[in-house]
Amino acid sequence: MTHLLSKSKYIRGLQCERALWLDVHEPRLARYTAEQMRRFDRGREFEYAFKDTFPHGIDISVELKRNVDAYPDLTAQLIDKEEEIDLFEAGFYYDDVLVLADVVHKCPDGTLDIYEVKSGNTLSETYRRDAALQHYVISHCRKVRKFCVVYNGLSDKLAPPDRSDTPFSIVDLTAELAAQHDEIAANIASMKTIALATAEPATPTGQHCLEPYACPYQHYCAQGIRQMSLF
């Protein structure tokens, strides 16, 4: 099993068709700023802090490292083996899409509680779209009892400078996400067509290059515009 789409590629595809195609065919062209890298680091720190609240959790990535296509098989083995278990970076594969869930708790009855961890201070629309894709994939593999998004509900402006605890705001979006499955399926079908195309989409630049995230391929697209202007 080799996945075609991932959560990051799906979110990229919602923002720009060309960015999705480049993510699949030319990921080496991506460039991230120092601030973007710092934001990634802050996100990982917040995620690790939440995972610490599951002291017996098993991290799939520790054993399999970058071999992400093997994550679903090991995840399934552990879920089927144990009556109750906590997993980090659990892999699920459906409809050519691979997703890795931050925290998965298998309940005694076999259903799953999913926790997607985000370090932002608000429950943004992008976070909801991210969670919707994961719910779609995971619920086609296992019965999901609850799907929650965990975010930093206390803004930096309100946080005391000596704050040592991390404020986890947990929102259950299960019903909302389940209602979006038809939309997710349609989006995936469209994105698979784009990802498998041999020709790069001629998507023009615009405000979408900056929202909701600054695209790491902006320099590449701008270079193409400059080359075209010479003729």
Side-chain angles (χ1 to χ4, degrees):
M1 179 274 294
T2 301
H3 72 283
L4 178 62
L5 298 176
S6 63
K7 182 177 63 175
S8 61
K9 287 181 174 62
Y10 178 84
I11 295 299
R12 190 90 73 205
L14 291 178
Q15 184 170 341
C16 175
E17 293 182 355
R18 173 182 276 183
L20 168 62
W21 190 91
L22 290 170
D23 247 8
V24 174
H25 297 274
E26 297 289 348
R28 61 183 179 81
L29 296 176
R31 292 183 184 175
Y32 296 93
T33 65
E35 175 54 34
Q36 285 174 311
M37 297 306 296
R38 284 192 290 270
R39 190 178 302 117
F40 295 153
D41 289 339
R42 289 195 296 269
R44 282 191 289 268
E45 290 173 0
F46 185 80
E47 179 184 321
Y48 293 153
F50 181 73
K51 288 178 176 177
D52 285 343
T53 65
F54 296 82
H56 302 295
I58 298 174
D59 192 337
I60 301 294
S61 66
V62 170
E63 178 173 345
L64 298 179
K65 310 299 182 189
R66 294 180 179 275
N67 186 19
V68 293
D69 284 316
Y71 282 35
D73 286 342
L74 180 55
T75 296
Q77 292 173 22
L78 292 171
I79 289 177
D80 291 338
K81 179 180 178 181
E82 302 293 339
E83 180 178 349
E84 192 169 1
I85 192 172
D86 296 322
L87 299 176
F88 304 150
E89 304 307 314
F92 300 90
Y93 178 80
Y94 176 74
D95 200 7
D96 292 320
V97 183
L98 171 69
V99 299
L100 306 182
D102 291 331
V103 179
V104 172
H105 171 72
K106 180 192 175 186
C107 305
D109 64 357
T111 60
L112 304 183
D113 289 344
I114 314 295
Y115 298 91
E116 174 64 13
V117 186
K118 302 296 184 183
S119 62
N121 301 131
T122 59
L123 187 58
S124 69
E125 183 61 27
T126 303
Y127 290 171
R128 292 176 182 272
R129 291 173 176 174
D130 181 310
L133 174 69
Q134 291 195 72
H135 185 278
Y136 172 82
V137 172
I138 298 173
S139 64
H140 278 89
C141 301
R142 301 279 174 167
K143 185 174 182 180
V144 175
R145 185 185 74 158
K146 181 171 62 175
F147 194 112
C148 298
V149 173
V150 182
Y151 69 101
N152 187 348
L154 183 61
S155 71
D156 293 335
K157 293 181 180 179
L158 298 177
D162 59 346
R163 175 168 60 83
S164 58
D165 62 309
T166 306
F168 302 120
S169 292
I170 303 176
V171 180
D172 187 343
L173 298 179
T174 311
E176 173 186 321
L177 303 180
Q180 299 180 45
H181 280 199
D182 288 345
E183 178 183 353
I184 300 298
N187 288 341
I188 290 173
S190 176
M191 290 184 195
K192 286 196 290 187
T193 300
I194 295 168
L196 292 171
T198 56
E200 177 183 331
T203 309
T205 58
Q207 190 60 31
H208 63 275
C209 299
L210 302 173
E211 297 175 352
Y213 301 115
C215 179
Y217 299 105
Q218 288 184 71
H219 69 287
Y220 168 79
C221 295
Q223 182 183 44
I225 293 173
R226 287 196 297 271
Q227 290 173 348
M228 289 175 63
S229 68
L230 296 177
F231 298 94

